[in-house]
Amino acid sequence: MTFISLCKLAPLRQANKTHMSQMQLPLPEFMKLPESPSPEELLRVYSSDGITSIDKRVNLELEYAHLLKTTQQFDRRLVSFQANKNTKFHSWLKYKEGFSSKLVETLFDKFSVTAGQRVLDPFAGSGTTLLVAQSKSVNAVGIDILPLCHLAWKAKSRYQQYDLQILQEIRQQIDKPPLWSEVKFPHVAITQSAFTEEQERKLMGYKGYFESLSVDDATRDLLQLVLMSVLEDISFTRKDGQYLRWDNRSQKAQQRDANRTANGKTPYHAFYKGEILDVSHAVQQALDRVIRDIEAVQKTTVRPSEQVMLAGTVLEILPTLDADQFDAVITSPPYCNRYDYTRTYALELAFLGVTHQGIVNLRQEQLSCTVENRSKLAHLKAFYEGIGRANEYHTVIAAIDSNFALQEVFTAMEVRNQRGDLNNKGVVQMVRGYFTELAFVIYELYRVCKSGANIAIVNDNVRYGGEIIPVDLLMTDLAVTFGFAPLTVYVLQQRKGNSSQQMGKFGREALRKSITVWQKPSSGHS
Ligand SMILES: C[S@@+](CC[C@H](N)C(=O)[O-])C[C@H]1O[C@@H](n2cnc3c(N)ncnc32)[C@H](O)[C@@H]1O
């Protein structure tokens, strides 16, 4: 059974006819749309099996088809951390979820962001946007919830303050590893046995040594970042999608497989990570890179400007920022993909002293992108009441409730859950929470931006239980409700694949990975 109402789609399709060729994306032959797809053809590509209603989403595709622009200007390398791997400063912490400095530079050019202006990145991560802003004398505000991002930003942004001679002396001192330490790594349950005993003692030896030095705060933070940046390389873990993967030499993997075998289950066969870097080697290498970059950049002069990274949740910080102050927003929120930053960065968080409960709290506070996230609605309501803006809370909720495509997605998730098509029922709340919270962010972005400001948001579309969730267009539709003018949705050419499980079950079309661009027009809130 299918719920699509073809007659309802026809007029929209007519209206957008001239733009339909832009929907021609590189799909496998059998999934390709013809020049002028009929609603039935769109349905064939969009729907997995016709179980749920998809017409609101198809309408959304038709309505915004003219915005979609498949481009080679932005590729996966540019919108991911890949292009930062060897870039000065940006490479100091491998933040796989980051985008590249090149992307930010390209967007600065596109938006004509110039020295003295002010940009915002509400999901600032490792500080890519802020760092590019600093290099171009553009003022910037960033927000992030993870302490490791703040350490990375502090260390990278203060490059002019470091005394190279002191750093070089410290580097010489660590040619010989410091004494082993009896101080234990502050493990939390999920990080236990991440290192061999020898590596852990060495690591803590470096930590103790760095802490014993009488250096200024900036240098102390820099040294802490150096240590934090090697944790993955010296451990049995690898950051991999939603979780930390464990090497089969680790106690944890061995114990887990022994338990499974004892219970008559097949062992997981943990992976083999390859060479695990020796702590001394890793720390020396990291400090060498840092010194090299500082040396190169200290010679250059940049007109001073101001960048700040605010710590906490965007949902509470954005509403407290003054209105009409930003000339541009460049950002990438967590994707709606079950990726849990608090698990993948558990080693780094524990290293910084975040406790188990602290990690649990961060998980709940981050934008809902894991199946464990609970609704933040009651909290948001109380928060908006507390700051005397209860009516705006209701404005955002009304926008969500009256967004047909969004409601269709929420219903589809419920239906899929009831049918057992989701492999975790938490996906239902995650999707609902994700868009609800993003709606608040988008509403606030409108408020804090100046008229004429451009907004660029990198995101991925997703699919659960066979249901395509067009994140880019759903965000755009909310943005339009709040007054933004949608400009372009740049679609990356190599589109994001699906998990093999999803591909096998629900067809093969890939999902869009895009950069969505809106503008705050000259008039006020619509
Ligand atoms: C895709 S990453 C951004 C990466 C960034 N563009 C970079 O280049 O490093 C998304 C970021 O959003 C942050 N985040 C998630 N939920 C948040 C919240 N509620 N408030 C503030 N930041 C949040 C995460 O900690 C993560 O660093």
Side-chain angles (χ1 to χ4, degrees), residues 285-420:
Q285 240 183 9
L287 192 53
D288 281 342
R289 182 176 51 220
V290 161
I291 292 175
R292 215 172 37 236
D293 287 358
I294 295 172
E295 206 166 13
V297 179
Q298 273 191 349
K299 292 178 193 142
T300 61
T301 45
V302 178
R303 213 174 86 196
S305 53
E306 194 190 11
Q307 294 78 27
V308 282
M309 169 96 100
L310 304 171
T313 171
V314 66
L315 296 171
E316 292 182 10
I317 294 177
L318 264 188
T320 64
L321 300 184
D322 288 345
D324 304 316
Q325 59 163 313
F326 294 104
D327 298 282
V329 176
I330 294 171
T331 198
S332 170
Y335 300 160
C336 187
N337 61 0
R338 300 186 56 177
Y339 186 104
D340 184 356
Y341 289 78
T342 62
R343 282 203 170 79
T344 37
Y345 288 96
L347 268 187
E348 290 76 6
L349 290 170
F351 176 75
L352 295 179
V354 183
T355 60
H356 170 76
Q357 191 52 47
I359 291 182
V360 171
N361 295 347
L362 282 172
R363 188 171 302 143
Q364 168 58 14
E365 272 193 90
Q366 68 187 348
L367 201 76
S368 289
C369 55
T370 78
V371 289
E372 282 140 300
N373 281 109
R374 300 180 308 281
S375 170
K376 298 189 185 63
L377 267 187
H379 185 81
L380 277 167
K381 185 164 183 285
F383 178 78
Y384 272 82
E385 282 166 0
I387 57 170
R389 291 173 54 196
N391 55 338
E392 288 169 81
Y393 167 85
H394 292 293
T395 303
V396 179
I397 295 298
I400 297 165
D401 289 348
S402 60
N403 189 300
F404 296 142
L406 206 48
Q407 292 304 321
E408 182 182 88
V409 167
F410 294 163
T411 307
M413 289 296 102
E414 302 275 2
V415 172
R416 293 294 174 181
N417 185 37
Q418 279 155 21
R419 287 172 46 88

Side-chain angles (χ1 to χ4, degrees), residues 447-493:
R447 194 183 62 79
V448 298
C449 279
K450 290 182 185 166
S451 294
N454 287 300
I455 286 79
I457 303 194
V458 177
N459 212 328
D460 271 7
N461 288 355
V462 291
R463 182 204 315 257
Y464 291 103
E467 297 289 337
I468 294 179
I469 305 184
V471 179
D472 47 9
L473 300 188
L474 288 166
M475 289 194 310
T476 298
D477 209 34
L478 285 167
V480 169
T481 311
F482 296 137
F484 281 113
L487 297 187
T488 313
V489 177
Y490 292 104
V491 180
L492 267 66
Q493 246 183 355

Side-chain angles (χ1 to χ4, degrees), residues 222-241:
L222 178 69
L223 294 172
Q224 204 181 12
L225 176 75
V226 164
L227 283 188
M228 190 179 80
S229 72
V230 305
L231 293 178
E232 182 181 355
D233 285 341
I234 63 166
S235 76
F236 285 126
T237 69
R238 179 173 296 160
K239 299 184 197 322
D240 186 42

Side-chain angles (χ1 to χ4, degrees), residues 95 97-99 122-128 144-146 149 312-314 332-334 341 365-367:
Y95 201 59
E97 304 68 27
F99 45 44
F123 300 97
S126 56
T128 315
D144 208 282
I145 199 164
L146 291 181
C149 294
T313 171
V314 66
S332 170
Y341 289 78
E365 272 193 90
Q366 68 187 348
L367 201 76

